[in-house]
């Protein structure tokens, strides 16, 4: 998939950006010393949940984008 194809779908670019923010928040919570998270296990669980959610949504969004590109290519041909 070419980068120019992705730019034709700005809604998906926006979604990818949002889900990257989830991943970055998870990494920030895990590696940064935050006063509200005194319990290390709670901090790990919360950051793992955010990371898994972000990764799952990025994969699903990518699959939806591929399906929409394929659908649009089929409709242009036929």
């Amino acid at each position: 998939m070419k980068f120019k194809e992705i730019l034709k779908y700005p809604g998906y670019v926006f979604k990818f950006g949002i889900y990257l923010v989830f991943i970055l928040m998870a990494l920030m919570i895990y590696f940064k010393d935050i006063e509200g998270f005194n319990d290390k296990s709670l901090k790990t669980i919360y950051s793992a949940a955010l990371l898994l959610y972000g990764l799952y949504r990025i994969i699903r969004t990518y699959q939806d984008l591929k399906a929409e590109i394929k659908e649009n290519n089929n409709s242009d041909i036929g």
Side-chain angles (χ1 to χ4, degrees):
M1 181 180 306
K2 296 180 184 176
F3 186 68
K4 288 185 179 183
E5 288 180 356
I6 295 174
L7 291 179
K8 293 178 185 175
Y9 303 94
Y12 286 103
V13 174
F14 182 71
K15 286 181 182 181
F16 283 126
I18 289 174
Y19 300 134
L20 282 175
V21 168
F22 275 96
I23 293 171
L24 292 175
M25 284 175 51
L27 293 174
M28 184 183 73
I29 288 171
Y30 185 74
F31 288 113
K32 191 164 171 90
D33 189 27
I34 300 173
E35 282 187 34
F37 288 104
N38 294 331
D39 188 11
K40 180 75 173 167
S41 62
L42 179 65
K43 186 175 175 180
T44 303
I45 291 171
Y46 189 67
S47 61
L50 278 174
L51 180 69
L52 289 175
Y53 178 73
L55 290 174
Y56 170 75
R57 292 308 309 164
I58 281 182
I59 291 169
R60 291 292 303 163
T61 303
Y62 180 71
Q63 290 173 345
D64 293 343
L65 175 63
K66 278 179 50 177
E68 188 167 335
I69 289 173
K70 185 177 180 181
E71 181 181 309
N72 287 343
N73 286 341
N74 289 340
S75 66
D76 289 342
I77 294 171

